[in-house]
Amino acid sequence: MSLVDSAFEEHRPLLFTVAYRVLGSAADAEDAVQDTWLKWSSADRSQVADPRAYLARIVTNVALDRLRSAQARRETYVGPWLPEPILTSSAADDVAGAESVSVALMVLLESLSPLERAVFVLKEAFAFSYAEIAAAVDRSEESVRQAAHRARGNVQARRPRFHQSRAQQQAVTARFLAAAAGGDINELMEMLAPDVALWTDGGGKVRQAMRPVVGATHVATWMAGVSHRPYEGVHPSEMTAELVDINGAPGIVFRGAGRVMGTLTLVLDAAGRIETIHNVANPDKLADITRRSVHPLPVPGR
């Protein structure tokens, strides 16, 4: 492997994670990394003192260009838009790293401008200095500081205020899966916060709710109902559900007819009740889950 290749491969994981956090799409992030490689391999690197910063600058600008076009497409997206889920390693991800890629945070980042999103990701997730970020996004340090301040304020005002332990998240997810699979409305009602919201992303490709389902009664009825009805030609009895690590937290992968049919992740409130459910079923967003090996998490009580 050449020095050019080794430098790029060393920083490839960083490039993917920057691009994914900016774009919310694993497929687009992979494309951004490939574009970065093309620019890197054809560049004059004789004056490159810091390959990490140089590559981060390339991938950030590539991701920003892709994000601007992606946001235009999302304006006409059918139904709620959720980020593409990715499988993560529960053993490798610390609390800060897991939170930085959580579905809840990725949804919040959608409210930021492309510049604010890039600055927030580079500063909060990767601890780049303001000078490094300014060079990466081709802005002054002062404008970067202002963008960081706006982004941080917007995210802090809307992000979940409470963080349950991983063990509790895993226990609640397993209990929710059992209750939903059994159509146990009473059990579901005990687990749901009164103002719980269910977001389902089918992208118009599969049958899903076109608007958020809000309220414990409505969500429990919805979940109990789908446990008994065929979905996309597959009966629930022919589906399997696995407890895995998705975007840094326990989640569920549903499979049937030889394919991944959807993912589900939960956000808990201070009392450990479920306040938000994110369900991704758009087949275009399940490629990363399908491609990577699934390592089921142990189910509490078994």
Side-chain angles (χ1 to χ4, degrees):
M1 182 181 291
S2 69
L3 291 178
V4 175
D5 292 340
S6 62
F8 183 84
E9 290 302 320
E10 177 186 354
H11 299 296
R12 180 188 284 272
L14 168 69
L15 303 180
F16 174 82
T17 50
V18 168
Y20 175 69
R21 285 164 171 81
V22 170
L23 291 164
S25 164
D28 287 345
E30 292 284 7
D31 289 343
V33 171
Q34 181 61 28
D35 288 348
T36 300
W37 160 248
L38 294 175
K39 292 177 181 293
W40 166 255
S41 61
S42 62
D44 178 8
R45 292 172 301 281
S46 61
Q47 303 300 315
V48 177
D50 185 351
R52 177 179 181 269
Y54 187 86
L55 286 166
R57 177 174 184 171
I58 296 176
V59 79
T60 298
N61 280 283
V62 170
L64 282 173
D65 288 342
R66 287 180 171 271
L67 179 60
R68 293 184 181 98
S69 61
Q71 286 184 324
R73 294 194 303 271
R74 288 170 195 173
E75 291 178 0
T76 59
Y77 194 80
V78 179
W81 184 94
L82 293 174
E84 181 181 348
I86 60 172
L87 289 174
T88 49
S89 169
S90 59
D93 293 338
D94 59 22
V95 174
E99 204 279 333
S100 74
V101 76
S102 71
V103 174
L105 179 59
M106 299 285 284
V107 170
L108 290 183
L109 294 184
E110 285 295 302
S111 66
L112 306 181
S113 72
L115 175 62
E116 290 170 347
R117 185 164 182 163
V119 170
F120 183 88
V121 167
L122 292 175
K123 185 63 179 176
E124 300 298 322
F126 301 101
F128 275 61
S129 69
Y130 287 117
E132 289 174 319
I133 298 172
V137 299
D138 196 23
R139 296 289 197 282
S140 69
E141 281 194 49
E142 180 58 28
S143 64
V144 164
R145 288 179 183 274
Q146 292 175 356
H149 178 74
R150 291 193 304 270
R152 193 178 301 113
N154 287 335
V155 170
Q156 288 179 347
R158 300 174 57 195
R159 77 195 313 169
R161 292 171 293 171
F162 309 102
H163 299 282
Q164 304 295 336
S165 69
R166 181 177 185 84
Q168 184 170 13
Q169 287 181 317
Q170 191 165 323
V172 172
T173 304
R175 181 185 170 197
F176 175 84
L177 173 58
D184 190 338
I185 292 183
N186 291 331
E187 179 75 359
L188 288 169
M189 288 292 292
E190 289 184 8
M191 302 181 65
L192 301 174
D195 57 350
V196 61
L198 164 65
W199 296 77
T200 63
D201 179 347
K205 305 291 181 68
V206 294
R207 187 183 76 244
Q208 288 293 336
M210 300 302 292
R211 297 182 181 83
V213 180
V214 180
T217 300
H218 292 135
V219 171
T221 301
W222 170 280
M223 296 304 304
V226 299
S227 70
H228 299 298
R229 294 194 302 266
Y231 176 74
E232 297 298 311
V234 183
H235 192 273
S237 63
E238 300 172 322
M239 296 184 191
T240 61
E242 296 170 303
L243 193 63
V244 300
D245 209 79
I246 298 175
N247 286 74
I252 303 167
V253 171
F254 297 96
R255 296 177 183 271
R259 65 184 188 273
V260 175
M261 305 197 71
T263 64
L264 187 147
T265 53
L266 309 174
V267 178
L268 309 184
D269 66 11
R273 297 173 303 183
I274 300 167
E275 64 178 13
T276 309
I277 304 170
H278 294 120
N279 173 214
V280 177
N282 182 344
D284 295 342
K285 294 185 176 183
L286 299 174
D288 186 80
I289 299 291
T290 300
R291 181 173 63 252
R292 300 175 189 270
S293 298
V294 175
H295 301 289
L297 297 174
V299 177
R302 289 188 181 178

